[in-house]
Amino acid sequence: MPKTSARLLALLSLLQSRRDWSGTVLAERLDISLRTVRRDIDRLRELGYPIAAVKGPDGGYRLRAGTELPPLLFDDEQAVALTVALQIAATTQGSGLAEAAGRALNTIRQVLPARLRNRITALSVTAVDRPSTRPAEPVDGTVLLAVSAAVHARETLRFDYSKEAPTSTEGSTITDSPARRAEPHHVVIRDGRWYLVAWDLDHAAWRTFRVDRMSLRTPNGPRFPPRALPGGDVAAFVTSTFRGSTDGGWPCQGTVILNLPSATVATYTRDGLVEDIGPDRCRLTLGSWSWPSLAAAFARYDTDITVVGPAELTGAFAHLAHRFSRTAAGHAIPDTPEGDTGPSPG
């Protein structure tokens, strides 16, 4: 690449990284003179970049938002991050952006340099459920790319896993082991967390591993033939894993009538069926991993509840009522440990 072109790209990258830049700082960063900075700014303006002059002792520059979209410049990390975001949007059901995100992803792939296109091609992410409202757990981008590359190449991964063990498809946990071996099949993001769906060679079972708890060992192990995922759909498999069921549904599901408008209940219901049955009344169907947790989920709506069914849900309400009564009476309060300076009972 000619020296001038490379310098212009470096200048544009700096202008995109923060709001204001003084001419002196730009000159120092690029190891050029102030006169060259002004000349390169003029060249970028001719290319359509809206760069405004900022008043100050040294003078400065700001890349403004324009009415037209000039050519964009991304470094490697930005390109990878953009690709991940578009893949998540393209695989998120109900977002209304899936088709547009897919087209944008194809457009970006076409203009990437070969060295980066190969990395992006190996990066495949599936979004499970709707986007989370909580911040995503931090994950090392290098690890994420390496895991995705192993999925793409069908290479066995060797890694250390943190002390807290992942959950198996049967709902049990795996004891900590310093050297895991697994055949990686899918990278998914669920509720703000990154997971690897893989066949655990040491336990001969499908597992989900938190990517942020993985420390990869190199090199990777041998290649493996593709193995069929139970059910064939990764989103359904992951959902079933976390719900503790085999068909993607909740192990426990019940229906109640709430003395609240359906519009109000729907606002606070993420995963359930809300049906309007009259003024200030609605029917709500929810699922959970246990009957007591399901009863507690209904109780959070803070209104009178009529159980439609099943009988297990009625029993769960009675169980919680007994437990809460004991708690309110003080019988379930644990003894204060010796040396505890907290408030004393009564």
Side-chain angles (χ1 to χ4, degrees):
M1 178 182 292
K3 184 176 181 180
T4 300
S5 299
R7 193 175 65 242
L8 288 177
L9 290 175
L11 174 59
L12 181 57
S13 179
L14 289 175
L15 291 172
Q16 290 179 153
S17 65
R18 77 184 193 196
R19 181 176 175 82
D20 295 324
W21 287 90
S22 71
T24 301
V25 173
L26 287 174
E28 292 176 351
R29 287 289 190 94
L30 299 171
D31 194 22
I32 57 178
S33 66
L34 277 172
R35 180 180 178 182
T36 303
V37 169
R38 289 192 290 269
R39 187 166 59 243
D40 287 349
I41 290 291
D42 288 338
R43 289 193 178 103
L44 289 176
R45 286 168 175 163
E46 292 174 358
L47 292 173
Y49 291 93
I51 302 174
V54 180
K55 295 181 180 180
D58 299 325
Y61 302 96
R62 175 185 303 166
L63 182 61
R64 296 185 291 107
T67 56
E68 297 181 355
L69 184 65
L72 299 177
L73 175 68
F74 298 107
D75 59 31
D76 288 9
E77 291 184 354
Q78 289 173 324
V80 171
L82 182 60
T83 301
V84 171
L86 287 173
Q87 283 199 20
I88 293 173
T91 59
T92 300
Q93 300 299 319
S95 66
L97 298 174
E99 182 180 353
R103 294 200 309 270
L105 187 58
N106 289 333
T107 300
I108 290 176
R109 282 173 174 161
Q110 291 174 5
V111 299
L112 288 174
R115 60 174 177 77
L116 192 55
R117 190 184 307 121
N118 293 335
R119 295 175 64 193
I120 297 302
T121 299
L123 181 58
S124 180
V125 177
T126 301
V128 179
D129 294 333
R130 285 178 286 182
S132 174
T133 55
R134 72 180 182 184
E137 294 285 343
V139 61
D140 188 332
T142 303
V143 174
L144 186 62
L145 283 173
V147 170
S148 296
V151 172
H152 183 74
R154 293 176 182 166
E155 292 178 345
T156 302
L157 279 176
R158 301 184 307 120
F159 57 94
D160 298 322
Y161 203 65
S162 63
K163 191 171 183 179
E164 184 173 352
T167 302
S168 73
T169 56
E170 295 79 25
S172 61
T173 57
I174 309 169
T175 57
D176 186 42
S177 174
R180 298 290 180 85
R181 297 180 307 121
E183 298 176 355
H185 283 261
H186 295 84
V187 174
V188 302
I189 182 168
R190 179 187 184 273
D191 200 21
R193 287 177 176 157
W194 296 93
Y195 295 92
L196 170 67
V197 177
W199 176 259
D200 190 323
L201 291 169
D202 298 315
H203 295 83
W206 288 97
R207 311 289 188 187
T208 55
F209 297 97
R210 285 268 296 271
V211 176
D212 59 301
R213 294 176 180 164
M214 297 173 62
S215 298
L216 301 182
R217 295 190 177 191
T218 56
N220 291 341
R223 298 191 66 182
F224 59 88
R227 191 186 299 267
L229 187 70
D233 182 83
V234 64
F237 171 80
V238 173
T239 299
S240 299
T241 298
F242 283 90
R243 289 182 176 180
S245 65
T246 58
D247 59 1
W250 290 107
C252 304
Q253 183 169 294
T255 302
V256 302
I257 294 176
L258 303 178
N259 290 343
L260 287 173
S262 59
T264 300
V265 173
T267 301
Y268 301 100
T269 302
R270 178 181 178 184
D271 188 8
L273 175 63
V274 183
E275 302 172 273
D276 188 3
I277 59 175
D280 297 331
R281 296 183 78 224
C282 67
R283 182 184 293 108
L284 175 62
T285 300
L286 292 177
S288 187
W289 56 273
S290 73
W291 292 111
S293 69
L294 180 58
F298 284 122
R300 73 187 181 91
Y301 289 93
D302 193 23
T303 186
D304 291 338
I305 301 172
T306 302
V307 176
V308 176
E312 290 86 348
L313 179 58
T314 302
F317 274 111
H319 173 72
L320 290 183
H322 179 65
R323 176 182 295 171
F324 294 159
S325 294
R326 287 176 53 83
T327 301
H331 297 299
I333 299 176
D335 294 334
T336 303
E338 184 176 351
D340 190 351
T341 58
S344 60

